Amino acid sequence: MRSRSDVLETAILGLLKDSPLHGYELRKRLNLVLGSFRALSYGSLYPALKTLVTRGLIIGTESSEAPSAALAPALSGRRSRIVYELTAEGKEHLQQILAQAGPAAWEDENFDVRFALFGQTDVETRLRILEGRRTRLTERLEAVRESTTRSRARMDEYTWELQRHGLEQVEREVRWLDGLITAERDRGARPTGSANDHPVSRHHTTADGDRRPGTER
Amino acid sequence: MRSRSDVLETAILGLLKDSPLHGYELRKRLNLVLGSFRALSYGSLYPALKTLVTRGLIIGTESSEAPSAALAPALSGRRSRIVYELTAEGKEHLQQILAQAGPAAWEDENFDVRFALFGQTDVETRLRILEGRRTRLTERLEAVRESTTRSRARMDEYTWELQRHGLEQVEREVRWLDGLITAERDRGARPTGSANDHPVSRHHTTADGDRRPGTER
DNA sequence: GTTTTCATGTAACCCGTTACATGATTCA
DNA sequence: TGAATCATGTAACGGGTTACATGAAAAC
């Protein structure tokens, strides 16, 4: 029964893991990841949240006031909004999803979200997903190249150019993956990396201790 | 009433303009263009053909035998199939579509198909579409860059990397368009060019310089 | 005081895929 | 003889968007 697309579900759970959020804010973050630039509509988001609640993976608490916020000034009586956070089952479910390293993880629809959640995924899984995706893309490349050469004659210049450019983009994607893969291998080799590029600004306010080994940087 | 996506419709008409085809063959050609590598299902194609027929834009003729084929050997009694071709109204309608050079032509959903049909489009229209698309993409680039820099702090490294890579791909797309645009301008300048050349003969290897200041680091 | 942004939600619709049904023809 | 490919089609479903409805708070 479970086998749908689930991109949204994964993305929501993944984001809520870091910090509880309300729908409106959630959407903004979602748009940064989910299909890089496009806007997800509320018509999708709110129903999705609803079903996640009924499935017991998240709970929503109405809060008109910031519960314990003493840091940021000038936000007193905001409009009542529903802040969602993961339940225990939700966390478990997310871990289960993040542990999956099969084809589903590297297909077009899911890859981006899974990648965005690599921070919560252990190195071996990351590597398997990256490699899976790489193979997937090269396979596709091969298939297209083959069918292209066969029908090249019947193609006019513009169709051909479009095709060529598409292939080029995918090739570049493969090279991108190559870079990521070697980087991950390095990481695995010397686990306590000192060569961090930017501060990752860890401030997850929730008191949890279930960070899995190999997960963290 | 007419205002839907129409990608499929345009693609079908565009392909049939070149040569009459039956559904099965049509699909194969369609897949080369429409969303570069993905397979369009018959569940979409056949109904689409049906409505095009009822709208009088194409007609389908059942033909179990090759009508005038004397060139290729060994294809005698193929199974009865329906070969579709454009009607007069169909041709007119297609011309009308191909003349459109507004936003609709360069949006994500339509651009590829319109580009693939550039062979049936005049130079000025081609240029306007390419330029429109270019502007569209740079606008988007700008928007993403801006929203990115604002929320960069809250992004972990993987989300950031995904974002970065996405931007890079779009940047590359813009450069691709640049090449096409100058090629078209050349074409306009000396209309009867030498026969052999591709739309983009020059592929400038340098990742040259329109990096805008203030973007990052 | 009005417009913009924040905030939540529902109903209708659109465009596609999957799964199903059917059958002829070619190839191993 | 049985599998793969050619060939056409329909019904159910899926996952999203648009448009609509509502209203409070902030900015101008």
Side-chain angles (χ1 to χ4, degrees), chain B residues 8-9 12 42-53 58:
Chain B
L8 232 189
E9 173 185 315
I12 293 175
Y42 298 117
S44 312
L45 177 59
Y46 285 115
L49 287 171
K50 211 177 176 184
T51 62
L52 283 175
V53 169
I58 61 175

Side-chain angles (χ1 to χ4, degrees), chain A residues 9-70:
Chain A
E9 174 186 315
T10 307
I12 292 175
L13 294 180
L15 278 184
L16 290 184
K17 176 69 190 295
D18 276 343
S19 61
L21 293 170
H22 60 276
Y24 195 85
E25 178 66 23
L26 197 52
R27 175 175 177 262
K28 285 197 288 188
R29 312 249 181 140
L30 239 26
N31 288 336
L32 281 178
V33 173
L34 221 70
S36 288
F37 321 123
R38 19 170 330 116
L40 176 82
S41 68
Y42 297 117
S44 314
L45 177 59
Y46 284 116
L49 286 171
K50 211 177 176 183
T51 63
L52 283 175
V53 169
T54 59
R55 283 166 60 202
L57 300 179
I58 62 175
I59 46 164
T61 24
E62 182 123 357
S63 73
S64 45
E65 203 70 25
S68 65

Side-chain angles (χ1 to χ4, degrees), chain A:
Chain A
M1 189 197 189
R2 312 260 48 264
S3 71
R4 288 200 320 294
S5 180
D6 290 334
V7 205
L8 232 189
E9 174 186 315
T10 307
I12 292 175
L13 294 180
L15 278 184
L16 290 184
K17 176 69 190 295
D18 276 343
S19 61
L21 293 170
H22 60 276
Y24 195 85
E25 178 66 23
L26 197 52
R27 175 175 177 262
K28 285 197 288 188
R29 312 249 181 140
L30 239 26
N31 288 336
L32 281 178
V33 173
L34 221 70
S36 288
F37 321 123
R38 19 170 330 116
L40 176 82
S41 68
Y42 297 117
S44 314
L45 177 59
Y46 284 116
L49 286 171
K50 211 177 176 183
T51 63
L52 283 175
V53 169
T54 59
R55 283 166 60 202
L57 300 179
I58 62 175
I59 46 164
T61 24
E62 182 123 357
S63 73
S64 45
E65 203 70 25
S68 65
L71 20 110
L75 1 115
S76 49
R78 280 218 145 278
R79 186 238 163 129
S80 94
R81 49 201 198 178
I82 303 173
V83 177
Y84 294 96
E85 58 187 314
L86 293 193
T87 62
E89 305 94 279
K91 284 176 193 168
E92 203 188 332
H93 187 66
L94 178 59
Q95 290 310 326
Q96 200 180 304
I97 290 174
L98 292 180
Q100 288 170 350
W106 60 65
E107 288 305 316
D108 290 334
E109 329 80 68
N110 295 299
F111 176 75
D112 280 13
V113 182
R114 291 303 309 271
F115 184 84
L117 298 179
F118 265 14
Q120 303 174 44
T121 314
D122 54 286
V123 204
E124 308 90 63
T125 309
R126 291 201 290 250
L127 264 171
R128 248 176 293 146
I129 293 177
L130 290 172
E131 281 158 359
R133 176 112 188 118
R134 214 211 103 106
T135 323
R136 187 81 189 75
L137 288 187
T138 48
E139 278 169 12
R140 196 180 300 178
L141 230 35
E142 210 33 59
V144 177
R145 281 213 198 91
E146 202 227 327
S147 90
T148 283
T149 41
R150 273 195 286 98
S151 58
R152 170 77 195 270
R154 268 171 289 135
M155 266 193 251
D156 67 286
E157 44 180 342
Y158 289 107
T159 309
W160 164 248
E161 176 61 24
L162 190 60
Q163 196 78 0
R164 218 218 75 245
H165 175 245
L167 283 170
E168 204 174 278
Q169 291 282 70
V170 180
E171 280 162 14
R172 200 161 301 276
E173 192 112 9
V174 170
R175 263 173 272 144
W176 179 64
L177 289 170
D178 284 338
L180 292 169
I181 288 169
T182 53
E184 290 293 341
R185 290 220 179 100
D186 269 26
R187 229 175 248 245
R190 44 165 185 77
T192 327
S194 53
N196 68 327
D197 319 302
H198 14 269
V200 187
S201 70
R202 289 290 68 232
H203 66 288
H204 59 115
T205 13
T206 44
D208 67 325
D210 59 340
R211 274 182 103 56
R212 319 170 94 275
T215 297
E216 59 129 4
R217 29 181 317 266

Side-chain angles (χ1 to χ4, degrees), chain B:
Chain B
M1 188 195 189
R2 314 260 46 265
S3 71
R4 288 199 321 294
S5 180
D6 292 332
V7 204
L8 232 189
E9 173 185 315
T10 307
I12 293 175
L13 295 180
L15 277 184
L16 291 184
K17 175 67 190 295
D18 277 341
S19 61
L21 293 170
H22 61 276
Y24 196 85
E25 178 66 22
L26 197 51
R27 175 177 178 262
K28 286 197 288 189
R29 312 249 181 141
L30 238 27
N31 288 335
L32 280 178
V33 172
L34 220 71
S36 288
F37 322 124
R38 21 170 328 115
L40 176 81
S41 67
Y42 298 117
S44 312
L45 177 59
Y46 285 115
L49 287 171
K50 211 177 176 184
T51 62
L52 283 175
V53 169
T54 57
R55 283 167 58 202
L57 300 180
I58 61 175
I59 46 164
T61 24
E62 181 123 356
S63 74
S64 45
E65 203 68 27
S68 64
L71 21 108
L75 1 115
S76 49
R78 282 221 146 275
R79 185 237 162 132
S80 92
R81 49 201 198 176
I82 303 172
V83 177
Y84 294 96
E85 57 186 316
L86 293 191
T87 63
E89 304 96 278
K91 284 176 192 167
E92 203 188 331
H93 187 67
L94 177 61
Q95 290 311 325
Q96 199 179 305
I97 290 174
L98 292 180
Q100 287 169 352
W106 60 65
E107 287 305 317
D108 290 334
E109 329 80 67
N110 295 299
F111 176 75
D112 279 12
V113 182
R114 290 304 307 272
F115 184 84
L117 298 179
F118 265 14
Q120 303 174 43
T121 314
D122 53 286
V123 203
E124 308 91 61
T125 310
R126 292 202 288 251
L127 264 170
R128 246 176 294 146
I129 293 176
L130 290 172
E131 281 159 358
R133 176 113 187 118
R134 211 211 106 106
T135 323
R136 187 80 190 75
L137 288 187
T138 48
E139 278 170 11
R140 197 181 298 180
L141 230 35
E142 208 34 59
V144 176
R145 282 213 195 91
E146 201 226 325
S147 90
T148 285
T149 40
R150 274 196 285 97
S151 57
R152 170 79 194 271
R154 269 170 290 135
M155 269 192 247
D156 69 285
E157 44 182 337
Y158 289 106
T159 309
W160 165 247
E161 176 60 25
L162 189 61
Q163 196 77 359
R164 219 217 74 247
H165 176 246
L167 282 170
E168 205 175 276
Q169 291 283 70
V170 179
E171 281 162 13
R172 200 159 304 274
E173 192 113 10
V174 170
R175 263 173 270 146
W176 179 64
L177 289 170
D178 284 338
L180 293 167
I181 287 169
T182 54
E184 290 293 341
R185 290 221 179 100
D186 270 26
R187 226 175 248 242
R190 40 159 191 84
T192 329
S194 48
N196 62 338
D197 52 13
H198 304 298
V200 202
S201 38
R202 32 80 65 122
H203 41 131
H204 48 122
T205 347
T206 47
D208 70 297
D210 58 338
R211 273 186 105 50
R212 326 178 88 277
T215 297
E216 66 134 352
R217 103 159 280 286

